[in-house]
Amino acid sequence: MSHHPDTQYHPSLPPELRAAPLEFGAWSQTQLLNDQRKSTPTKPLYHYTDMDALKGILGTERLWCFSHLHQTDREEFAYSLRVARRVIKAIGRTKDEVTHHFCACLDDMLENNSFTDTFEFYLFSLSRHRDHRQQWRNYGQKGRGFAIGFAPALFQATQSNLNERANENNFVGRVLYGNFATEHRHRRVIERAAKIASRVARTNLSLTRAGIPPSYSVTMAHEVIASQLIWNCLTAKRNKYSDEQEVRYIIMGVCEKFDGLRKVYNGKSYIELPLKFKDQCGIMEVLVGPDAPAGSKEMIREFLKAQGYPDGIPVRRSLVTI
């Protein structure tokens, strides 16, 4: 599986040096697969929402993935990016010339380029919490909404290649919380990339004796950003959000890939991710908020029946108090 939104190796880079981004890309793909396997749930995941969204999701068998710009913490991507840049600067303070140049180039790219000018990211948020007071307060209309319990089978790591349609490229990531976990993951990536870049350069001294080609550092930096850094920033939040226990469905790609797919709900941009809930027995239960109107359970049962869902999907009222 590749998480690349889209990347292209510098055409002027000699094949001997091109081995570095290729090696890092292979390592990155293995690493991301391992991370996704660790994120694969074994128990239902819950999405807390309102009636309109519940009917839209279950009625169309599509997840509504909203732009990362509309997340509860509007600064979460910037937060993880700041942590990454601290790590990059620290690793770049070295006498190893290749590592120093690579880190300087990567940091300069992050300083002077906006990801959102090139890429778009859409997220569908779920929680490992079932019937959780804070989730009801924050996302379930203060207890008047609903929670859909999705089956773990929907979130298995099965995709191995990117599809042409952007909304068919989806990956599951468990969110990490706090500086320590976020910094550790960024450091693992930057140190690996720097090590590969330095080794390949030393192996090809005839090409680097006169100096490190700028295209070499640029290509490695692009590879790190596209294959790892963006993903890490989309799956990290500050520690104060740790109680959310969030798992995310993530769709990302270059902006033009989403033309014709964008929709708007309550002023927020989203795209729809098609999934076959009925065929995969993807709905484990529906929870009715503790303060939802009387008759909500019966209404949900009738809706599921009218939409052709299998009989027997439990519809239960929450037991918490708001």
Side-chain angles (χ1 to χ4, degrees), residues 164-184:
E164 182 62 27
R165 289 179 59 82
N167 66 333
E168 295 176 357
N169 297 314
N170 50 86
F171 308 103
V172 180
R174 180 177 293 192
V175 174
L176 299 184
Y177 297 94
N179 289 355
F180 179 82
T182 302
E183 180 174 320
H184 174 75

Side-chain angles (χ1 to χ4, degrees), residues 53-64 124 148 150 154 167 272-283 303-304 307-310:
L54 178 142
K55 287 186 172 181
I57 290 169
L58 298 184
T60 63
E61 293 188 274
R62 294 169 180 264
L63 301 184
W64 293 11
F124 184 81
I148 307 170
F150 290 99
L154 289 174
N167 66 333
E272 294 180 344
L273 170 65
L275 287 176
K276 297 299 183 183
F277 305 146
K278 300 171 191 174
D279 294 348
Q280 299 182 52
C281 299
I283 306 302
F303 175 77
L304 291 173
Q307 295 298 319
Y309 279 88

Side-chain angles (χ1 to χ4, degrees), residues 14 16-17 96-98 196-213 216:
E16 294 86 350
L17 297 183
D96 183 273
E97 183 182 7
V98 178
I196 292 172
S198 183
R199 173 171 46 77
V200 171
R202 289 196 305 271
T203 303
N204 295 279
L205 288 177
S206 61
L207 298 173
T208 60
R209 187 173 290 112
I212 308 301
Y216 184 53

Side-chain angles (χ1 to χ4, degrees), residues 110-315:
L110 299 179
E111 171 70 25
N112 295 299
N113 294 278
S114 170
F115 291 131
T116 55
D117 290 341
T118 306
F119 303 119
E120 290 185 32
F121 319 112
Y122 292 87
L123 316 173
F124 184 81
S125 296
L126 304 114
S127 176
R128 285 173 280 158
H129 285 307
R130 179 188 183 276
D131 200 13
H132 189 254
R133 180 178 290 108
Q134 201 61 40
Q135 292 289 311
W136 284 118
R137 287 176 176 171
N138 292 345
Y139 308 110
Q141 285 196 307
K142 298 182 179 179
R144 299 188 300 275
F146 304 85
I148 307 170
F150 290 99
L154 289 174
F155 306 100
Q156 303 303 306
T158 58
Q159 186 166 349
S160 58
N161 296 294
L162 290 178
N163 297 319
E164 182 62 27
R165 289 179 59 82
N167 66 333
E168 295 176 357
N169 297 314
N170 50 86
F171 308 103
V172 180
R174 180 177 293 192
V175 174
L176 299 184
Y177 297 94
N179 289 355
F180 179 82
T182 302
E183 180 174 320
H184 174 75
R185 187 165 60 172
H186 281 311
R187 182 173 295 278
R188 178 185 64 185
V189 170
I190 305 307
E191 286 183 340
R192 172 67 64 156
K195 182 178 180 180
I196 292 172
S198 183
R199 173 171 46 77
V200 171
R202 289 196 305 271
T203 303
N204 295 279
L205 288 177
S206 61
L207 298 173
T208 60
R209 187 173 290 112
I212 308 301
S215 59
Y216 184 53
S217 295
V218 168
T219 303
M220 282 299 294
H222 276 149
E223 179 65 28
V224 169
I225 290 170
S227 67
Q228 281 271 340
L229 195 140
I230 288 176
W231 175 260
N232 289 352
C233 288
L234 290 171
T235 52
K237 299 178 77 169
R238 288 176 289 181
N239 198 56
K240 71 177 186 177
Y241 295 98
S242 61
D243 190 50
E244 293 181 349
Q245 294 294 291
E246 185 177 356
V247 176
R248 288 177 165 174
Y249 239 137
I250 298 175
I251 300 174
M252 56 187 181
V254 292
C255 296
E256 56 265 26
K257 292 284 188 180
F258 295 100
D259 291 346
L261 297 174
R262 302 179 192 89
K263 298 186 177 183
V264 176
Y265 176 75
N266 284 345
K268 298 179 179 180
S269 176
Y270 75 99
I271 65 170
E272 294 180 344
L273 170 65
L275 287 176
K276 297 299 183 183
F277 305 146
K278 300 171 191 174
D279 294 348
Q280 299 182 52
C281 299
I283 306 302
M284 300 293 291
E285 67 174 332
V286 177
L287 296 179
V288 175
D291 295 331
S296 293
K297 287 171 57 177
E298 292 72 20
M299 182 272 296
I300 291 295
R301 289 193 181 105
E302 288 299 317
F303 175 77
L304 291 173
K305 181 179 180 180
Q307 295 298 319
Y309 279 88
D311 294 335
I313 295 176
V315 181

Side-chain angles (χ1 to χ4, degrees), residues 36-80:
Q36 177 145 324
R37 290 190 186 101
K38 293 176 184 177
S39 298
T40 300
T42 57
K43 297 180 179 179
L45 296 174
Y46 290 83
H47 181 70
Y48 293 76
T49 189
D50 60 26
M51 173 59 76
D52 288 342
L54 178 142
K55 287 186 172 181
I57 290 169
L58 298 184
T60 63
E61 293 188 274
R62 294 169 180 264
L63 301 184
W64 293 11
C65 302
F66 285 87
S67 168
H68 81 287
L69 299 173
H70 301 310
Q71 300 308 299
T72 303
D73 179 9
R74 300 295 179 88
E75 295 297 316
E76 64 181 44
F77 192 93
Y79 155 74
S80 186

Side-chain angles (χ1 to χ4, degrees), residues 85-99:
R85 293 189 65 190
R86 288 201 301 268
V87 171
I88 292 165
K89 287 181 170 68
I91 294 173
R93 289 192 286 269
T94 175
K95 294 181 180 179
D96 183 273
E97 183 182 7
V98 178
T99 297

